[in-house]
Amino acid sequence: MKFKESVKAILYLFPALLIIGVFVIYPIIKSLLMSFYADYDFFNDVVHRYGFDNFIFLWNDPVFHKALKNTFIFVLGVVPISIILSLWIAIMLNSITLLNKFFRAIYFIPFVTSVVAVSIVWRWIFHSNYGIMNYFLSFFGIEPIQWLTSTEWAMPALIILSIWKGLGYNIIIFLAGLQTIGDTYYNAARIDGAKRWNRFIHVTLPQLAPTTFFVFIISIINSFKVFDEIYALFDGKAGPSNSALTVVYYVFDKFYGEWNFGVASAAAYVLFLIIFIITLIQFYINKKKITY
């Protein structure tokens, strides 16, 4: 009986396993092998030599170094601000009783909207002459900023767009976490004379620690993988003079632009290793500092 149930379960799972094997597992294995292709004939699909040439190339490639630097700048610019803003907005939304579902939907719309559509809108917002961003800045006496054509402001423009785009998801997750905090904790804190700020520090933040940890992990991984926003915002380029070049865009350019599959695969696995190490560190800190 158990054998028949196992066979039936395998038959049900087989279509999904087939798709995962063909479109996920096989590309992972193939790209890992390609990262060690030192001499590869693409047209005949023949590997003449394996080695670490692609990783050595990355080690000495200043463009890859710039992509790594820009990626870390992007992550450091997006993740903390996004988490702080989304937590603040989630706390405000959690206190609203009238039309609360409407406001939550409004904040979630940017997350589910097409990146291309969002980027087109933001290209107009960042327009040097007619953009609404420079229009508002003019009220404070600030001269028009070349957001998308200046090497100095391309990355800040990308960071602003990415923060706005990802707020909705983080807000929903924080709202779910806030609703699990019972009123008993807040009532006890009020009885002890705790003010609003003290209740936030000593009740809300500790109770939200697991949720914050989850949002932090997801935000870091997504930020390291940024690509769509760059491609759409800068019209298929990595910003002026590669000022918004990230590792994923570097992989894309090497793979589809130069057909250098070995270097692209090696760069992808370097990024994977970076994310993996950072995630391990986060989980280690989680075990030490966060109580569920």
Side-chain angles (χ1 to χ4, degrees), residues 25 47 52 77 99 113 121 152 172 174 182 197 203 209 228 234 240 249 275 287:
I25 297 176
V47 182
F52 292 92
L99 298 176
T113 305
V121 172
E152 182 181 0
I172 293 299
F174 275 125
W197 175 252
V203 177
D228 297 351
F234 296 104
Y249 198 98
I275 296 174
K287 290 182 180 179

Side-chain angles (χ1 to χ4, degrees), residues 1-21:
M1 187 67 180
K2 291 183 178 180
F3 177 75
K4 290 183 178 179
E5 291 179 356
S6 299
V7 171
K8 186 184 294 185
I10 292 173
L11 290 175
Y12 277 119
L13 292 173
F14 181 75
L17 293 175
L18 181 63
I19 293 173
I20 293 173

